[in-house]
Amino acid sequence: MKFNLMINDRQKMVLVIAYFFPPERNSGSIQSFNILKRLPQFNWKPIILTIKQKYLSSISEEGELLLKSLPKESLLIRTNFIQPQQILMRIKKFFYPKAKSNKDINQNYKIDKKGKKGYFQKIKDFITDSLLAIPDKQIWWLPYAVLAGIDMNRRHKIDLIYAIGKPWTSFLIGYCLKKCIKKPLIINLMDPWMSYGSWEYKRTWMIEKIEEWIEKFIVKKVDFIVANTMELKEDFIKRLRIKNEKIEVITCGYEKTDFDNVDIEGKREDKFIITHTGTFYKKRLPINFLIALKELLEEKLIASDEILINFVGRISPKYQQVYDLMNEPHLKPIIKMYDWVPHKEAIEYFYQSDVLLLIQPQTTLQIPAKLYEYAASGKPMIIIGEKNGAVANLIKKEGWGDIIEDNDFKCIKKVISEYYKQFKNKTLPTRINRKNIEKYEFNYLAKDLTQVFNKIYQDKDRDRDRDRDNG
């Protein structure tokens, strides 16, 4: 971090716009929480603006416990959220008042056996997934969030606005508040935006162009941008001609205390254990890893009774090829699948394994948060991804290992086989002391973020003083 600034002793107020926040259990909400809860240590009091819990897609007991650890200096404001889908369902019921359930609605709404949609379904999907989802489905949070932000400024005199995305709607909320309360706006890109494709559903050409315009407009109007990888920063500078001094990198990280008091040995089996934690989705699928492993078993280079693969997390049923592979005769006996587990338990799986698996193909701008946790555990890693991507650049920079391309079956087989031989010969390290891992701990990252806050606050303070003098 280039900034090393001091501001006066008065505690500053930062309005944080964070759609995803505990007890929501996704990785983004946990990453944000672990940094935001530390802001008071650095003289910044966060007022966190988020949605009411009834709108969250997933709530966990762990998330509830995490929420209870929010410092008393912080304020948490939850607002309502309009759901267009519910409004359309009411319209549907108006047209089909006698329908007791979706099964009773005529074929104009249903999807037939060939996958073709009725005209009402097509209209509904176009409206909810396109017209009413620019830049994303969370756009209908905007009116509630803006009004709540104005009220918070009236009550607490906010010094700074900090918007976390995704969703990108958070940035639009931040911009509206910047105009309304005349405070500087910093945005944090937790994911790539238009360079990657921010939507879940296919967009029309027109809507894609609208979203590209929104992205350009926002990044030009904000006071500062935080990106979570150097590659993402460079992408924004190149694509949108942003000045280098307007954007800084603050990575994802890990919570050091999560590694305290965990069951290191557990009830592990006396086998060579490879573990992957987290959800498989989109391009991040273990297909080529499983094919390589299957070949090793068929060639008897690995004994099936001496290896175990743990997949800790969810795999959507729509990825049938993955399930078909896992049910292959050679693979089925050695694979154990676990649903979502509490974070502490996931870390215990790290220590009860010999090697940790990370799969990140076809993404060059992102680094999954679990890589920092994998590295902090000290366990050997098999990292499958892009040779010229953000993950490869990080592990090369820090000396954390090598990356294997997803389609390089020969290399995947070689690495698995070598680790297996080390396990058999009892030469496989149980812990590797990785250099520079401490700078990815949340205390360090929170300090970096507040240094950005301090810089932008001071810059705006100087601008106000200059305007007053000139006036």
Side-chain angles (χ1 to χ4, degrees), residues 269-272 293-294 296-309 329-335 420 424:
E269 299 183 47
D270 187 21
K271 295 183 177 183
F272 174 56
L293 184 60
K294 176 173 171 283
L296 286 170
L297 292 164
E298 289 174 341
E299 295 164 8
K300 300 188 184 304
L301 296 174
I302 293 179
S304 60
D305 60 346
E306 293 180 342
I307 186 170
L308 175 64
I309 310 298
H330 284 90
L331 293 176
K332 188 174 182 179
I334 70 167
I335 293 176
Y420 172 70
K424 292 282 290 179

Side-chain angles (χ1 to χ4, degrees), residues 268 271-277 289 308-310 349-358 374 377 379-383 415-416 418-420 422-423 428-430:
R268 68 159 289 162
K271 295 183 177 183
F272 174 56
I273 301 175
I274 300 175
T275 294
H276 177 279
T277 63
F289 169 80
L308 175 64
I309 310 298
N310 289 325
Y349 275 106
F350 294 177
Y351 287 111
Q352 294 161 20
S353 304
D354 298 292
V355 176
L356 301 178
L357 174 66
L358 179 75
Y374 278 15
S377 75
K379 286 292 179 178
M381 300 182 290
I382 296 175
I383 303 174
V415 170
I416 296 172
E418 286 179 353
Y419 276 139
Y420 172 70
Q422 290 178 34
F423 168 79
L428 184 64
T430 57

Side-chain angles (χ1 to χ4, degrees), residues 166-388:
K166 302 189 326 185
W168 316 122
T169 289
S170 296
F171 302 160
L172 294 179
I173 293 167
Y175 175 73
C176 291
L177 287 170
K178 171 183 169 67
K179 300 298 287 184
C180 291
I181 67 176
K182 311 298 182 186
K183 300 298 179 183
L185 169 63
I186 297 170
I187 63 172
N188 187 332
L189 291 148
M190 298 288 286
D191 282 300
W193 198 343
M194 294 305 294
S195 55
Y196 178 74
S198 60
W199 52 88
E200 296 179 35
Y201 304 93
K202 188 176 180 179
R203 311 296 242 188
T204 65
W205 175 87
M206 179 185 69
I207 290 175
E208 185 174 336
K209 290 300 178 185
I210 292 171
E211 293 186 342
E212 287 177 355
W213 180 87
I214 292 172
E215 180 192 43
K216 290 177 183 177
F217 176 82
I218 288 294
V219 299
K220 297 293 183 183
K221 295 297 182 180
V222 301
D223 296 274
F224 200 81
I225 301 167
V226 173
N228 67 359
T229 70
M230 180 58 70
E231 291 71 21
L232 185 54
K233 172 182 175 178
E234 292 170 351
D235 173 73
F236 265 73
I237 291 173
K238 182 178 179 180
R239 281 195 308 114
L240 303 176
R241 301 180 185 277
I242 299 171
K243 293 181 180 179
N244 183 68
E245 58 268 24
K246 190 179 179 179
I247 184 168
E248 186 56 77
V249 175
I250 298 178
T251 67
C252 292
Y254 71 99
E255 176 63 76
K256 188 176 181 180
T257 59
D258 285 346
F259 292 83
D260 298 336
N261 303 316
V262 295
D263 186 355
I264 294 178
E265 293 301 327
K267 299 178 180 178
R268 68 159 289 162
E269 299 183 47
D270 187 21
K271 295 183 177 183
F272 174 56
I273 301 175
I274 300 175
T275 294
H276 177 279
T277 63
T279 303
F280 287 117
Y281 63 99
K282 293 184 179 178
K283 304 294 184 182
R284 301 172 192 177
L285 300 174
I287 292 171
N288 292 339
F289 169 80
L290 290 173
I291 292 172
L293 184 60
K294 176 173 171 283
E295 291 181 2
L296 286 170
L297 292 164
E298 289 174 341
E299 295 164 8
K300 300 188 184 304
L301 296 174
I302 293 179
S304 60
D305 60 346
E306 293 180 342
I307 186 170
L308 175 64
I309 310 298
N310 289 325
F311 288 149
V312 184
R314 292 180 177 173
I315 308 175
S316 171
K318 70 180 180 181
Y319 299 118
Q320 190 58 47
Q321 187 181 359
V322 177
Y323 284 96
D324 290 344
L325 268 172
M326 291 193 297
N327 285 317
E328 288 273 348
H330 284 90
L331 293 176
K332 188 174 182 179
I334 70 167
I335 293 176
K336 283 190 177 181
M337 291 187 62
Y338 303 87
D339 202 343
W340 181 89
V341 299
H343 192 235
K344 180 181 177 181
E345 191 174 333
I347 290 177
E348 288 176 350
Y349 275 106
F350 294 177
Y351 287 111
Q352 294 161 20
S353 304
D354 298 292
V355 176
L356 301 178
L357 174 66
L358 179 75
I359 297 179
Q360 188 82 1
Q362 300 184 41
T363 52
T364 59
L365 303 179
Q366 295 167 284
I367 298 174
K370 68 181 166 223
L371 175 57
Y372 302 100
E373 293 186 325
Y374 278 15
S377 75
K379 286 292 179 178
M381 300 182 290
I382 296 175
I383 303 174
I384 298 173
E386 300 298 319
K387 283 284 188 180
N388 297 314

